[in-house]
Amino acid sequence: MRSTKYYFIFSWIASFFWPFQSCAKKSQEHPNLVFIMADQWRGTALGYLDVEPVITPNLDRLAAEGVAFENAVSSYPVSSPARGMLMTGQYPVSSKVIGNCNSENAPYGVELPVEARCWSDVLKDQGYSLGYIGKWHLDAPYFPYVDTYNNRGKVAWNEWCPKERRHGFDYWIAYGTYDNHLKPMYWNRDAGRDDFYYVNQWGPEYETDRAIEYLRNKDGCREEGRPFALVVSINPPHTGYELVPEKYKTLYKDLDIEKWCQRPDIPKKGNSNGDFYRNSVKDYYACMTGVDEQIGRIVETLKQEGLWENTIVVFTSDHGDCMGMHGVIGKDIYYEEAMRIPMIVTWPARIKPRRDADSRIALADLYPTLLSLMGYKSVIPLQVETFDLSERIISGNGFQPDFQPYYRIEPARSTNGWRGLRGKRYTFAIKVENGTITETVLFDRSDDPYELKNIVTENPDLELKFKKLLRKWLDRTNDSFAMFLD
């Protein structure tokens, strides 16, 4: 009888709390999202690919647990434009972020518009808690410039993001752009423009500490019971490669760099670009290994907190890095080293692990793709121009575009610059200056994987074909560059 009595008592208690349990369960029908983006991470620099001698055990494990896209690109391989496309799902002419956000481009309105309908705005309206940690780089600096080292030269780079420009992100520990990785600076959620602070800690470690607090909901930093979306935007391995803790540098001290510099697209020793590569690549890898360790910490926290199964985790980059390859320091060019990016998507509850070398997915396609995966296909804004590839993530089949676009735009005259298409086999791009086509490139990446030979002159039929395809694409996206392709 005593056991029967307790049974009814516990049943009564359970029935009392059942409505609250049902509400909590209902609020988690949609997955959480953890979006990790490292800056300037070349697509082939992952240990499991066995292309470059970089140590990334945690990312290798993550790739084995989800879909690892090996043909992903950044369509405009520069920080602000890439981020603008990602946030808006629009190509640069529509997103308005047609160059890097700095004082030089500010007169041309180069920044994320406050009225833009970002994917974060969509999730906010669906009841998500939203957090942003790290590099933002989507606000134009204005005078008097914030007093940081990278605002004291000819061009000012860094700027505060006020609350009304954060597009739904309520938890905020971020900065515009700042490359002193060993003493980074941040604005927190309630800081004013002059209330930034410095941290004596490597940026990725500090940002991961804050991300872990967010996942554990320390001090109620997100609303309990709601699904959440957290962006962790890490600056390394961006330039400032050497600004990385020694423990990661030590891992590469015995690496025979010359052995790995036999690729024909790496200039010879003694060439300034070739020497830059040799002097930088060990630290570049050290940054990657350090970031990899932080990603492992985030994934482990998700598992410890019981969040792993129903959380979509994305790892990617805004663009790659030539680092002297092809005689180019940096990015902002059509070569694979600049355009190709890592992209790993995991969701244990729904995604079966596989490596995908075929899908032509671009960074900006993640806007509609993730919203569809999360159950919000019906509320994707009509102005989104990029492609929903959610079916390819789930099944490996379904729609994919024939080409990934390429952009490089001069903000002072937006019809100056480059437009191009990257297909399964070919990369094609055209440069226009003051209304005239001044350069055309065509690479056959199948026969010429290092893109050493421009074959456009001896292939006029291919050139004409790609011109027509590019013209069609530019017309579709209301890009006035199209007028020069007649």
Side-chain angles (χ1 to χ4, degrees), residues 431-446:
K431 183 180 183 182
V432 166
E433 293 181 280
N434 302 321
T436 301
I437 294 175
T438 58
E439 194 173 347
T440 304
V441 297
L442 176 65
F443 295 108
D444 181 346
R445 302 191 318 277
S446 179

Side-chain angles (χ1 to χ4, degrees), residues 76-285:
Y76 192 154
V78 179
S79 180
S80 297
R83 293 161 190 268
M85 286 190 289
L86 171 67
M87 293 304 300
T88 64
Q90 296 177 305
Y91 297 104
V93 171
S94 299
S95 78
K96 308 304 181 186
V97 190
I98 58 174
N100 263 332
C101 294
N102 58 34
S103 61
E104 198 169 51
N105 294 331
Y108 310 107
V110 178
E111 65 177 351
L112 181 64
V114 69
E115 66 273 12
R117 181 72 171 161
C118 297
W119 60 262
S120 51
D121 294 312
V122 175
L123 290 182
K124 186 69 173 179
D125 288 348
Q126 300 302 320
Y128 273 67
S129 288
L130 296 171
Y132 198 99
I133 300 171
K135 181 174 179 176
W136 177 246
H137 205 188
L138 286 168
D139 294 288
Y142 60 90
F143 190 82
Y145 301 121
V146 176
D147 188 22
T148 57
Y149 88 90
N150 56 343
N151 280 354
R152 296 171 188 155
K154 181 179 178 181
V155 178
W157 288 85
N158 199 10
E159 188 51 81
W160 171 65
C161 182
K163 287 184 177 181
E164 64 271 17
R165 292 185 49 80
R166 294 177 189 171
H167 292 277
F169 291 105
D170 39 37
Y171 180 85
W172 186 265
I173 298 179
Y175 57 94
T177 181
Y178 194 81
D179 296 337
N180 188 347
H181 310 315
L182 291 174
K183 191 173 182 180
M185 55 84 66
Y186 302 91
W187 283 271
N188 65 24
R189 174 168 40 194
D190 298 316
R193 189 172 185 242
D194 296 323
D195 298 329
F196 55 89
Y197 63 96
Y198 293 95
V199 175
N200 290 311
Q201 186 179 3
W202 192 48
E205 289 178 346
Y206 177 79
E207 290 153 19
T208 299
D209 288 347
R210 304 290 77 75
I212 289 171
E213 290 177 353
Y214 186 88
L215 296 176
R216 290 178 175 163
N217 203 15
K218 182 181 178 182
D219 300 327
C221 58
R222 59 182 173 86
E223 191 165 341
E224 194 66 53
R226 288 191 179 190
F228 63 82
L230 173 66
V231 176
V232 186
S233 179
I234 297 171
N235 206 8
H238 189 277
T239 315
Y241 317 116
E242 73 283 0
L243 301 174
V244 58
E246 287 296 324
K247 64 180 178 178
Y248 303 120
K249 290 185 179 185
T250 300
L251 297 173
Y252 296 95
K253 65 182 177 62
D254 297 324
L255 180 65
D256 183 356
I257 286 298
E258 206 55 41
K259 173 186 173 183
W260 295 94
C261 288
Q262 301 309 305
R263 290 174 47 144
D265 56 348
I266 300 177
K268 299 295 183 184
K269 195 172 184 178
N271 174 284
S272 60
N273 292 304
D275 289 346
F276 182 86
Y277 185 91
R278 288 164 175 79
N279 294 334
S280 302
V281 72
K282 284 187 181 182
D283 290 338
Y284 185 59
Y285 291 155

Side-chain angles (χ1 to χ4, degrees), residues 34-78:
V34 174
F35 192 101
I36 306 169
M37 183 164 65
D39 198 304
Q40 208 157 296
W41 190 306
R42 199 160 52 232
T44 54
L46 290 165
Y48 81 92
L49 292 175
D50 200 27
V51 175
E52 302 191 46
V54 61
I55 303 166
T56 56
N58 294 289
L59 284 170
D60 298 346
R61 193 175 305 113
L62 194 68
E65 294 176 314
V67 180
F69 290 104
E70 297 169 9
N71 198 24
V73 303
S74 174
S75 292
Y76 192 154
V78 179

